[in-house]
Amino acid sequence: MALDLLYRHNVRLAREHKEVIALSELLQKAPLHAQEKRRNNFREPHGVAKKIDNLLLAVESKHGYGVSNADKAAVSDYPESRKEELAALANSLRASFISQDGIDELPDDEVFIEGNWLTVQHRKRDHRLRKRLLSKLRGRELRCEMCDVSPPPLDREFQESRYEAHHRIPLSEAEHERESRVADMALLCACCHRTLHKMISQYRRWVSVDEGRRLVSLAL
């Protein structure tokens, strides 16, 4: 997230900068380090600004002198040419930290991991949207948008129990929206929903419903 700030501003940021302060406050709330192990200056604005300075040095240094291995690795993994991808990851991190759900409670196939970064968490917002999506489809045949399979001729409530709502785009790309729309959701059978999340986990990137459908069809 510090590297994302650097790429967005392309200058050193003072500890008084509002985005440095916001990142400091977010990192202090993130459940990544036990409270009893934190120092009094844990992730304070001064430390966040210093990290941005160090990352800038890693970006500008031709020989890597005076640059930590961690900072060199971060810049190597995410050079400025990948700044849009990095921004998506940073936004996903912010979303996961802001979430009221505990990160440890999420199963592996509800997120995908990029090194040590927890990036996408989209389960939290699905519950009400799923109800609204199913309500919109009342009177219409239910069909999975990934495998095109319709449910057996059961009562409607049993048919609906086989389906879940899936975000068509990563939450990170819609993070500035106050609330996701029903139009942003895809109706997937539970099997395809879990398969799609497993693909995201395995490939360590976002996989759309259309791409998931193509990958499944190629395997058949």
Side-chain angles (χ1 to χ4, degrees):
M1 289 188 286
L3 185 59
D4 172 54
L5 275 185
L6 174 60
Y7 285 155
R8 284 196 280 116
H9 293 279
N10 289 317
V11 294
R12 287 184 170 85
L13 299 178
R15 60 184 177 181
E16 297 84 10
H17 193 283
K18 63 179 182 179
E19 290 191 63
V20 170
I21 294 174
L23 179 54
S24 169
E25 293 175 349
L26 182 62
L27 292 174
Q28 289 172 353
K29 295 177 182 178
L32 298 180
H33 302 278
Q35 291 287 342
E36 62 273 13
K37 295 183 179 180
R38 299 183 180 188
R39 298 178 180 178
N40 293 333
N41 62 349
F42 180 81
R43 302 295 189 267
E44 285 187 342
H46 174 76
V48 173
K50 181 64 175 177
K51 171 57 68 174
I52 294 174
D53 284 349
N54 292 339
L55 288 168
L56 179 59
L57 182 61
V59 170
E60 295 179 342
S61 176
K62 296 181 179 179
H63 304 289
Y65 299 139
V67 180
S68 73
N69 289 334
D71 292 338
K72 285 191 290 186
V75 172
S76 176
D77 289 343
Y78 291 100
E80 193 167 6
S81 60
R82 297 183 67 188
K83 66 179 181 181
E84 292 184 2
E85 181 181 354
L86 177 64
L89 296 179
N91 282 336
S92 296
L93 274 169
R94 292 186 185 93
S96 67
F97 292 161
I98 293 170
S99 167
Q100 295 299 311
D101 290 343
I103 290 177
D104 291 339
E105 297 176 0
L106 295 171
D108 288 342
D109 50 5
E110 286 290 342
V111 301
F112 68 92
I113 303 298
E114 183 81 20
N116 291 325
W117 298 105
L118 176 67
T119 53
V120 172
Q121 188 273 100
H122 94 192
R123 183 178 60 179
K124 177 178 175 61
R125 303 185 188 180
D126 287 353
H127 304 301
R128 287 185 301 169
L129 285 169
R130 176 182 177 276
K131 291 181 181 179
R132 289 168 55 193
L133 178 61
L134 289 170
S135 177
K136 181 180 178 181
L137 295 172
R138 288 283 165 81
R140 296 165 56 183
E141 180 186 32
L142 297 176
R143 184 178 295 275
C144 175
E145 295 185 34
M146 185 165 158
C147 70
D148 290 327
V149 170
S150 294
L154 302 168
D155 289 342
R156 183 72 177 195
E157 61 182 308
F158 294 124
Q159 292 185 16
E160 291 182 353
S161 70
R162 301 165 66 93
Y163 291 90
E164 298 174 354
H166 175 80
H167 288 268
R168 297 181 187 278
I169 59 175
L171 279 185
S172 59
E173 294 185 15
E175 194 56 33
H176 298 297
E177 301 268 339
R178 179 172 294 273
E179 183 177 355
S180 296
R181 302 169 299 172
V182 172
D184 297 328
M185 308 302 293
L187 187 71
L188 301 181
C189 67
C191 180
C192 282
H193 195 202
R194 188 156 293 275
T195 298
L196 190 58
H197 274 273
K198 192 63 178 180
M199 289 176 177
I200 292 171
S201 174
Q202 187 73 21
Y203 301 149
R204 301 188 177 193
R205 61 175 176 81
W206 186 257
V207 178
S208 68
V209 174
D210 288 340
E211 183 181 0
R213 184 190 302 117
R214 289 195 298 271
L215 291 170
V216 170
S217 65
L218 290 173
L220 296 178

